[in-house]
């Protein structure tokens, strides 16, 4: 099992595999961890350089800063879209121990749209992706996704491929059912020549 399937295992169905993970833009990660870096990691290091005698306080301060940094990273990392072989899963983290997911299978996607709004998002090329589920009013979204136009195209490509494969497998299953029905009919009633004689 790949490490990413292990991390997101509880959001996947049996046999479902992750093709790609779309995280929020790296700039959002910087926004999430800047306080921990600015107030929790840098000050104790600077104080330790000038006043090494305060090392116990600096160490405790640094540990707290690193913990907040890790919490910010986890919050960013687990707020993503999983593009799988079956559909799109929106994983949302609302704290360390609170996460949820919604899934839309490729064959039930009604529409995909994206929006890049503002100067900074335009310059750094990030925006919102919205995916609507057919006939349900349910939608999933990823805010601040990097290169939303490319992600939009990838999802549409995966959807097209999935629908083609599903149609082919449904066609093969239908052929198999028809062949089985004909074989059963021939076994019970005889062949075409027996039908003509009656």
């Amino acid at each position: 099992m790949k490490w990413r399937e292990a991390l997101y295992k509880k959001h996947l169905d049996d046999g479902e595999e992750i093709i790609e993970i779309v995280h929020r833009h790296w700039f959002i990660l910087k926004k999430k961890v800047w306080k921990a870096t600015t107030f929790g990691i840098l000050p104790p290091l600077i104080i330790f350089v000038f006043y090494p005698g305060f090392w116990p306080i600096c160490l405790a301060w640094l540990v707290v800063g690193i913990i907040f940094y890790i919490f910010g990273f986890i919050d960013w990392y687990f707020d993503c879209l999983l593009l799988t072989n079956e559909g799109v899963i929106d994983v949302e983290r609302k704290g360390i121990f609170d996460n949820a997911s919604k899934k839309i299978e490729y064959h039930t996607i009604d529409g995909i749209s994206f929006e890049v709004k503002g100067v900074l998002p335009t310059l750094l090329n990030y925006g919102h992706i919205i995916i609507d589920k057919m006939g349900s009013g349910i939608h999933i979204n990823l805010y601040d996704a990097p290169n939303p136009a490319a992600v939009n195209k990838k999802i549409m490509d995966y959807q097209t491929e999935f629908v083609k494969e599903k149609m082919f497998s449904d066609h093969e299953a239908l052929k198999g059912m028809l062949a089985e029905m004909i074989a059963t009919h021939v076994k019970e009633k005889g062949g075409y020549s027996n039908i003509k004689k009656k």
Side-chain angles (χ1 to χ4, degrees), residues 174-188:
L174 184 61
K175 274 177 37 181
M177 285 173 39
L178 285 173
E180 193 175 305
M181 287 172 55
I182 291 170
T184 303
H185 179 76
V186 168
K187 189 190 262 186
E188 291 175 359

Side-chain angles (χ1 to χ4, degrees), residues 152-194:
N152 188 21
K153 184 177 180 331
K154 282 180 188 177
I155 293 171
M156 289 179 9
D157 290 345
Y158 293 147
Q159 180 187 25
T160 303
E161 187 63 33
F162 177 83
V163 169
K164 275 185 196 172
E165 286 178 16
K166 186 165 175 41
M167 285 176 59
F168 179 76
S169 64
D170 288 350
H171 176 72
E172 291 299 312
L174 184 61
K175 274 177 37 181
M177 285 173 39
L178 285 173
E180 193 175 305
M181 287 172 55
I182 291 170
T184 303
H185 179 76
V186 168
K187 189 190 262 186
E188 291 175 359
K189 307 277 182 173
Y192 179 72
S193 57
N194 288 346

